[in-house]
Amino acid sequence: MSSELSTPWRRPSKFAGPGDGWAEVGTGLAQVARAVDGSHHGSPLPSGAPAEMLAAVAESLGPQRIPETGMGESAALTTVADLIARYGLDLTHTLCAAHLQPPPLTVAVVADALASATNASLDTYDSGPATLAIEKWTIAALARLAGFSESAGGVFGPGGSYSNLLALLIARDYGAAARGIDVRQSGTSALARPVVLCSQVAHFSIHRACAALGLGEAAAIPVPVDADHRMIPEALETALAELGATHTPVAVVATAGTTDFGSIDPLPEIAEIAKRHGVWFHVDAAYGFGSLFSDNLATLLTGIDRADSITLDLHKVGWQPAAASVLLLADEQRFASLNRSVAYLNPDDDVEAGYGGLLGQTLQTTRRPDVLKVAATFLAYGRTGLGEMLDTCHELALHAERRIGTELQLELVAPVTLTTVVFRYRCEDLDLDQVNAELRRRLISSGKALIGRTQVRVHGAGEPRTCLKLTLLNPESSERDIDALFDELLRVALEVESEGLAIDQDEMVKVHE
């Protein structure tokens, strides 16, 4: 190890203190970046089979045990950085378009490092006063963006799945309390067959939440969707009416931005139905909430202000390093069932004196100040700047949709709503599910492009079929990049098709569609 590289670590303290300590974090990152310069694979993913890549990383780390003596800070960081450079994912690559993982904004990454350096927590005032105030400011700003009143509140969490779980937990407790039941003490057995109504294409985290809350996954009642993958309000009305007195509707969950299609349920109509039946209205807007940044797309979320709770993920449309999820409540007082008075954290007299925190708004105790990167991003770019980034990604998705329309062997499966494009490759005499799956795997193993896959009932009929998916969240990609991606996709598709016809007919079963 060169003396130059080891210099930053010859310092009085091992810890990242304010001022010079923070500067050393930046210096160390810059130096390990220089140390691995030229070793990055330069692609969305490294080329090679998954087993080979994973084995290479494991071999570089050595035996699976904590070493008795360390190699030093510089060597350790360089080792990890080199593995990420050689075998990691590059979300900034313009042909990386598989999942709802955006390239993170530099300002957010720097602020995220600052959050790590402070190691503050949001549970009490004395665990991080500045970060506590920043989170409250950011939550208020997001609540205002959603159209909520000043009575709203919210909390950051580790992901949209967690925020959905928290929302349904609060909805369960609130609905039970309205029936005179303290479900946290008495348990869910005190409720008559509690259920949650959501669309057929709702995120799987709703089902997981039902299981975790003791309702069971079967408690998630699927409501039919239309041809555009949007919940049918009349079907919701019928489902609620059929429950009768034998069931307890805990919540109606609308989706604002489905993972596969970006489709948005008709929020005003669903809100009206939920209100009429006296049921908690939750909107899973983990993907779609970012539409509110854009003047062009904000109307897609008309009616979201009528929700009782909203999940949003700024590590999707927001370009934040994970995690940056938020649960917003229209009425902050509805967090009440989560409140706890703990002698060593938030005794009542301390709270009354202003030393409280956000312990009573989450299932977490120690909670990292993920808000710092979000606040820095809002201050840096404002709503307009973020909206322009989303508009660019939306235009890229529309360009991809047009390109698919020009290719005879490509079929658009769903129209573009936000930044997701679902399509499939078509050919004669081969199993299209196997062809499309193999096409995606070859793109990944080549390292040249990264796209997603899903299963869809094409044209709303038949069995779900394997389809391909682009999730376009890089505003620095261009239409030329999208065209290059399709050029490579079609080249590899022809390769797969020709091999299937020539030598792999036993594996690629012939079918006629």
Side-chain angles (χ1 to χ4, degrees):
M1 189 63 58
S2 69
S3 59
E4 179 186 3
L5 189 59
S6 61
T7 298
W9 314 111
R10 295 175 180 174
R11 60 185 190 275
S13 175
K14 294 182 176 65
F15 303 106
D20 289 345
W22 295 350
E24 287 172 355
V25 172
T27 300
L29 183 58
Q31 292 210 342
V32 295
R34 288 198 295 270
V36 300
D37 186 37
S39 64
H40 190 272
H41 50 68
S43 302
L45 285 174
S47 60
E52 295 174 0
M53 300 300 101
L54 297 174
V57 174
E59 182 179 355
S60 297
L61 290 170
Q64 293 180 331
R65 61 174 181 268
I66 299 174
E68 290 299 322
T69 55
M71 63 176 66
E73 293 165 321
S74 288
L77 284 169
T78 301
T79 297
V80 173
D82 184 67
L83 291 176
I84 294 173
R86 292 182 185 277
Y87 304 107
L89 168 71
D90 181 9
L91 290 169
T92 67
H93 195 283
T94 56
L95 300 188
C96 189
H99 303 293
L100 283 165
Q101 290 175 274
L105 291 163
T106 300
V107 66
V109 173
V110 174
D112 205 33
L114 187 62
S116 294
T118 65
N119 204 28
S121 179
L122 279 300
D123 50 331
T124 60
Y125 173 87
D126 57 339
S127 292
T131 52
L132 184 64
I134 292 170
E135 174 150 325
K136 289 182 175 181
W137 178 90
T138 306
I139 289 293
L142 288 166
R144 174 169 293 185
L145 184 63
F148 281 170
S149 69
E150 292 184 359
S151 64
V155 66
F156 274 74
S161 294
Y162 172 85
S163 294
N164 282 337
L165 169 65
L166 197 61
L168 293 183
L169 183 153
I170 294 169
R172 182 200 66 182
D173 294 355
Y174 182 80
R179 293 166 171 80
I181 300 170
D182 184 350
V183 74
R184 299 185 70 81
Q185 290 294 323
S186 304
T188 56
S189 61
L191 290 174
R193 298 186 67 179
V195 294
V196 172
L197 293 94
C198 58
S199 89
Q200 289 176 327
V201 292
H203 193 266
F204 65 85
S205 62
I206 302 301
H207 302 79
R208 277 187 169 181
C210 287
L213 293 174
L215 312 182
E217 290 201 19
I221 298 178
V223 179
V225 297
D226 61 21
D228 294 324
H229 310 285
R230 304 166 74 239
M231 185 191 291
I232 300 172
E234 295 79 8
L236 172 63
E237 181 80 65
T238 299
L240 282 167
E242 289 177 347
L243 292 178
T246 59
H247 293 72
T248 303
V250 170
V252 168
V253 179
T255 306
T258 56
T259 304
D260 279 341
F261 313 106
S263 52
I264 296 171
D265 289 336
L267 303 181
E269 293 91 335
I270 295 172
E272 186 61 33
I273 293 169
K275 180 181 179 181
R276 189 161 56 248
H277 287 267
V279 182
W280 185 284
F281 178 35
H282 175 63
V283 178
D284 178 5
Y287 179 13
F289 188 87
S291 301
L292 296 174
F293 296 134
S294 164
D295 290 337
N296 298 319
L297 298 173
T299 55
L300 291 171
L301 266 63
T302 297
I304 197 170
D305 58 312
R306 299 181 62 182
D308 292 294
S309 55
I310 301 171
T311 286
L312 62 109
D313 257 359
L314 295 167
H315 55 261
K316 291 182 173 61
V317 177
W319 299 276
Q320 298 297 295
S325 179
V326 175
L327 174 66
L328 296 177
L329 295 189
D331 182 356
E332 188 173 28
Q333 296 304 312
R334 295 183 180 180
F335 278 112
S337 67
L338 295 176
N339 191 40
R340 289 291 182 274
S341 179
V342 183
Y344 69 90
L345 288 175
N346 62 341
D348 292 341
D349 56 335
D350 270 4
V351 173
E352 291 172 3
Y355 289 86
L358 297 174
L359 177 66
Q361 295 187 356
T362 178
L363 295 175
Q364 298 171 271
T365 303
T366 300
R367 185 163 61 83
R368 187 175 186 274
D370 289 310
V371 66
L372 295 191
K373 59 200 173 195
V374 176
T377 298
F378 287 173
L379 293 172
Y381 290 98
R383 188 184 74 88
T384 300
L386 292 169
E388 289 173 350
M389 285 188 267
L390 176 57
D391 287 342
T392 298
C393 294
H394 181 64
E395 287 298 323
L396 288 173
L398 293 175
H399 177 76
E401 182 181 59
R402 291 190 293 269
R403 173 65 189 268
I404 291 167
T406 67
E407 300 291 346
L408 294 177
Q409 289 176 294
L410 297 181
E411 177 186 11
L412 185 70
V413 173
V416 168
T417 300
L418 291 173
T419 67
T420 302
V421 190
V422 181
F423 64 102
R424 65 175 178 166
Y425 180 80
R426 292 184 59 87
C427 58
E428 297 293 332
D429 300 326
L430 293 175
D431 185 327
L432 298 187
D433 289 348
Q434 293 190 31
V435 170
N436 280 274
E438 178 63 16
L439 165 56
R440 176 178 178 268
R441 286 192 291 268
R442 291 203 188 184
L443 285 173
I444 292 174
S445 63
S446 72
K448 292 182 179 180
L450 177 58
I451 65 173
R453 65 178 282 184
T454 187
Q455 282 198 316
V456 181
R457 285 185 171 86
V458 180
H459 308 306
E463 293 298 315
R465 309 308 302 265
T466 298
C467 297
L468 303 175
K469 181 172 70 169
L470 303 182
T471 306
L472 300 168
L473 289 177
N474 187 345
E476 293 186 350
S477 294
S478 66
E479 292 184 358
R480 181 179 298 178
D481 294 319
I482 300 303
D483 286 333
L485 189 154
F486 277 111
D487 290 344
E488 179 63 15
L489 183 149
L490 289 168
R491 185 194 68 78
V492 175
L494 288 173
E495 178 183 281
V496 172
E497 183 180 355
S498 64
E499 290 180 9
L501 287 170
I503 59 175
D504 292 335
Q505 293 183 5
D506 290 339
E507 296 180 9
M508 294 187 175
V509 181
K510 290 186 176 183
V511 297
H512 294 278
E513 291 197 343

